[in-house]
Amino acid sequence: MRMAFDQAPAAERPALYRRFAEQIAAPLRMEHRFAESDERKRVAILVSREDHCLSDLLWRWRSGELGAELVGVVSNHPDHAEQVASLGLPYHHVPVGEDRRAAERQALELLGEVDLLVLARYMQILSAEFLREAGAPAINIHHSFLPAFVGADPYARAHERGVKLIGATAHYVTEQLDAGPIIDQDVTRVSHRDEIDDLVGIGRDVERLVLARAVKAHLDDRVLLDGARTIVF
């Protein structure tokens, strides 16, 4: 259950939370938490070379749609430094070489304390140690050909097979690759008329929308974890 209600005066909230825990949560053995809607969550974006999801999130942040504090962008490539800097945001180029853990530690130090990590087409696998040390959930986006077309050039192979649907999936990141709880998905129809470049463009559009919806749902505290799945209000 998710319940939204008018805020109690700040001075009364500790007593309200305590009474709820003692009189309702404890007798019902309820897991619960309170989220203040006016507290802006700190968000960091990780990205590689493709910038369609990054650009979309930056636009939504600048327009006030995300309702979050964007603390910076980390990338294993320098490509987007000018775009990010033009908005007054920190851009951290952290190359990932043979010592992946050193790069991860550097990224964590640069970002500091955050409430959410968004992998906006970040094409690196995050280690279990990174996920634990980050202390925040991470949301990833990928095309919904997985696991049918894993690896490089999925759109070329999808074109060869004559797929009729292209989709995207946004999910929480876990230690198991691309298997975290799903937050949002969508598909769009394609046909034999679409060439590979058309499929790529259509796929990018779906990825932008699905990732934005997933991030917004998390920032609005509308996502509840239920084992390996989510309940999204």
Side-chain angles (χ1 to χ4, degrees), residues 12 29 49 137-138 172 197 210 217 232:
E12 299 178 11
R29 292 182 292 178
R49 279 209 163 97
Y172 286 117
D197 288 345
V210 170
V232 182

Side-chain angles (χ1 to χ4, degrees), residues 33 35-36 39-43 67-70 115-116 218-221:
R33 68 184 179 91
E36 304 288 351
E39 291 183 357
R40 295 166 63 88
K41 294 179 175 62
R42 292 170 54 84
V43 178
E69 179 185 353
L70 190 52
D115 301 305
L116 176 67
H218 179 91
L219 293 175
D220 291 344
D221 295 294

Side-chain angles (χ1 to χ4, degrees), residues 116-168:
L116 176 67
L117 295 169
V118 180
L119 279 58
R121 298 296 291 167
Y122 185 64
M123 309 307 289
Q124 297 291 325
I125 299 174
L126 299 178
S127 69
E129 291 80 9
F130 177 91
L131 294 174
R132 286 195 296 268
E133 292 168 10
I139 296 176
N140 189 29
I141 183 71
H142 61 67
H143 59 76
S144 285
F145 293 137
L146 294 174
F149 303 112
V150 178
D153 298 323
Y155 288 101
R157 284 183 285 159
H159 183 265
E160 293 171 1
R161 292 288 301 276
V163 300
K164 299 299 184 283
L165 290 172
I166 283 181

